[in-house]
Amino acid sequence: MSTIWQSGHRRMTLVKWQMSTRPDMNLFVERVVLAGPIEIV
């Protein structure tokens, strides 16, 4: 989960981290947004 602070408003985004490969076969960590951002009241 990631929390983003912006102009005094709180938001939350649900993310998934996964290992992926680039076309040149290098590994990297990919961030996939599953939901959000949503306002937290």
Side-chain angles (χ1 to χ4, degrees):
M1 249 184 293
S2 172
T3 304
I4 301 168
W5 298 92
Q6 189 175 47
S7 304
H9 297 286
R10 293 188 291 172
R11 295 182 185 185
M12 185 178 292
T13 302
L14 179 64
V15 298
K16 175 176 74 171
W17 299 93
Q18 65 184 22
M19 295 295 290
S20 295
T21 55
R22 293 190 172 106
D24 62 1
M25 300 306 290
N26 282 320
L27 283 175
F28 72 100
V29 178
E30 180 179 14
R31 179 181 181 263
V32 179
V33 176
L34 300 176
I38 59 169
E39 290 285 330
I40 301 174
V41 193

